[in-house]
Amino acid sequence: MNTRDTSSHPEDLLPWYVNGTLEGAEREAVARHLETCPRCRDEVAWLARLREQVKEAAPGATPGELGLRRLLREVEAEAPAPRRREWWRPALAAAVVVIVIQSVLLVRPWVDDGAGIVPLGGSRGGAVIQVEFRPQATEAQIREVLQAVEGTIVDGPGALGVYRVRLEGEGDQRRRLEEAVARLRARGDVVIHVAAD
Amino acid sequence: MSAGDRAGEGGGAGVESAEALLAAIAGGDRGALASFYRLFHGRIYAFVLKRVAEPALAADILNDVMLQVWRHAARFEGRSSAMTWVLGIAHHKVGDALRRRGREAGHEELDEHMADEAAPAAFDLLSGLEDAGAVRRCLERLSDAHREVVHLAFFEDLSYPEIARIVDCPLGTVKTRMMHAKNALKRCLQGLLEGGR
């Protein structure tokens, strides 16, 4: 008879004991427990057989070389390659900073209260905004800020390192846009610039 | 000789050469990208296909993942293995695709609820695991989040901290999802066994 008493049976660790990735004290504790627990030994046997079945269920055909040709074709269309554009990135970043400062001083643009922001309201999902991330921002940080606003990168980076981000989800698009812009601006550690598309 | 040439030798490149490939890709080496694709595309495709269950869509997502590798290889910081990093990209690409398709993992609550019920004892169900077709059908009925953890644990043999990094969730959530997946699988196999009698 099975119970769910995980305090005395380390059920939650058994899958990783079975796949050989459990380490150190956890592995030792599970091994010790298994010496005296037939129920957990049965569980280990079941999980080991399940693992074999999962491995045997690998997909037969993959995109293979056809997929590689497609990838290289699209990479070719995307040229130039990453390294080649790196040398002028700092200059472009400086240019963006100048433009932003000019915008703030002269035009009262995207930094105002958001009243001037007009969502695209297009047929393909929510509003689209432009975002430039800090060069040192990690993928995890970028993912975090995008998830916070339910944003999906739909294009970019363009020549100036700007991404176009579509705001997913339901509701008042204008309100969602304003909230997203405010949230992204609050993350100055990750985001340099944000504006309506 | 490029990194791509070196890593392509023997077809069994380890962690070091995968990282060297990413460094070369960051420098615009398309040969390294091709080698990286050849090394990892089968595993990435298997991971994606398990979640979306449509070969054409899985091929599109694989292509998107590899394009992301091409564009952002410089962001790989070596804090995890190259495979963990690229599976993390694939995880998010699949999530985007499922949301676009409008059927984001909708069965989690059902599985969570079912997991509260007592699962059949492992020993009684060993025979159920001998029927590969039944196992496949039951795996397909799992929620997306649960199927993903089973795949990463038993197809990829990843540790639970590595899986947590890939799916971007706490360690405890990974273990809980695995427990729920296991119990749901047992109940499903038991149902098929009883139905076949």
Side-chain angles (χ1 to χ4, degrees):
Chain A
M1 186 64 199
N2 189 23
T3 67
R4 287 177 49 75
D5 181 2
T6 52
S7 60
S8 57
H9 298 282
E11 278 189 69
D12 59 342
L13 293 177
L14 295 183
W16 288 278
Y17 180 83
V18 165
N19 79 4
T21 60
L22 212 56
E23 294 179 332
E26 283 186 326
R27 179 170 181 79
E28 286 171 21
V30 170
R32 264 198 315 276
H33 179 86
L34 288 174
E35 287 173 7
T36 58
C37 181
R39 176 190 143 181
C40 284
R41 284 201 298 272
D42 284 347
E43 189 74 17
V44 163
W46 189 85
L47 289 167
R49 185 69 188 114
L50 173 63
R51 176 168 166 262
E52 288 171 7
Q53 289 282 16
V54 168
K55 285 191 184 301
E56 286 169 14
T62 71
E65 290 300 304
L66 278 177
L68 178 57
R69 282 210 289 277
R70 170 188 176 183
L71 172 68
L72 293 177
R73 202 167 51 239
E74 294 188 21
V75 163
E76 191 68 33
E78 250 191 22
R83 166 66 56 89
R84 285 178 211 148
R85 61 189 180 204
E86 275 181 2
W87 65 268
W88 47 267
R89 275 192 167 224
L92 280 171
V96 169
V97 169
V98 169
I99 291 168
V100 169
I101 291 171
Q102 285 178 333
S103 301
V104 170
L105 294 177
L106 302 176
V107 196
R108 254 194 99 239
W110 52 272
V111 244
D112 65 12
D113 60 5
I117 295 171
V118 180
L120 281 181
S123 56
R124 292 181 59 241
V128 176
I129 55 178
Q130 295 180 359
V131 183
E132 185 186 3
F133 299 103
R134 293 200 175 278
Q136 66 270 30
T138 66
E139 190 201 356
Q141 287 176 313
I142 291 171
R143 199 163 60 230
E144 181 195 346
V145 297
L146 289 178
Q147 282 174 345
V149 298
E150 294 184 71
T152 303
I153 292 175
V154 293
D155 195 15
L160 296 175
V162 176
Y163 291 84
R164 295 178 72 238
V165 172
R166 188 170 63 238
L167 304 175
E168 310 287 358
E170 304 293 327
D172 182 334
Q173 290 298 308
R174 182 188 179 85
R175 187 191 176 115
R176 294 200 68 250
L177 176 67
E178 289 172 359
E179 287 175 352
V181 168
R183 274 183 180 231
L184 290 168
R185 282 180 190 152
R187 290 301 303 268
D189 57 328
V190 180
V191 174
I192 296 176
H193 172 78
V194 55
D197 196 336
Chain B
M1 179 185 273
S2 73
D5 295 333
R6 284 193 304 277
E9 290 171 355
V15 171
E16 223 177 55
S17 55
E19 289 174 345
L21 282 176
L22 284 175
I25 293 168
D29 182 343
R30 291 172 195 181
L33 179 66
S35 296
F36 191 89
Y37 174 94
R38 290 190 175 109
L39 275 177
F40 291 120
H41 87 279
R43 291 164 68 187
I44 298 165
Y45 180 75
F47 171 68
V48 173
L49 185 60
K50 272 286 174 290
R51 294 184 63 195
V52 302
E54 288 178 23
L57 179 58
D60 286 346
I61 294 172
L62 168 67
N63 191 63
D64 280 353
V65 170
M66 288 295 178
L67 281 173
Q68 189 87 347
V69 168
W70 170 248
R71 291 167 186 153
H72 299 304
R75 291 188 183 157
F76 175 70
E77 296 172 337
R79 288 188 295 187
S80 60
S81 73
M83 188 60 193
T84 301
W85 182 71
V86 76
L87 282 174
I89 295 173
H91 165 80
H92 289 285
K93 290 285 182 191
V94 170
D96 290 344
L98 290 177
R99 274 189 290 279
R100 276 197 297 273
R101 200 168 61 176
R103 67 175 187 93
E104 170 71 313
H107 306 299
E108 179 113 6
E109 281 186 16
L110 177 62
D111 283 351
E112 298 280 346
H113 173 70
M114 289 166 69
D116 290 337
E117 301 168 14
F123 181 76
D124 301 336
L125 285 173
L126 259 180
S127 58
L129 284 174
E130 297 313 312
D131 182 348
V135 175
R136 194 182 61 248
R137 284 198 296 282
C138 288
L139 284 168
E140 286 168 358
R141 289 180 195 175
L142 291 178
S143 73
D144 171 56
H146 293 169
R147 198 167 55 243
E148 178 179 39
V149 171
V150 171
H151 181 88
L152 292 172
F154 286 161
F155 189 82
E156 289 294 337
D157 283 338
L158 295 175
S159 68
Y160 66 85
E162 285 174 308
I163 296 174
R165 272 197 292 274
I166 290 168
V167 306
D168 209 8
C169 72
L171 297 177
T173 304
V174 173
K175 290 193 274 191
T176 305
R177 283 180 185 171
M178 190 65 179
M179 291 276 286
H180 290 171
K182 183 188 69 179
N183 289 342
L185 278 174
K186 284 180 179 175
R187 265 188 304 280
C188 178
L189 287 168
Q190 185 184 40
L192 292 179
L193 275 176
E194 289 172 352
R197 279 175 194 158

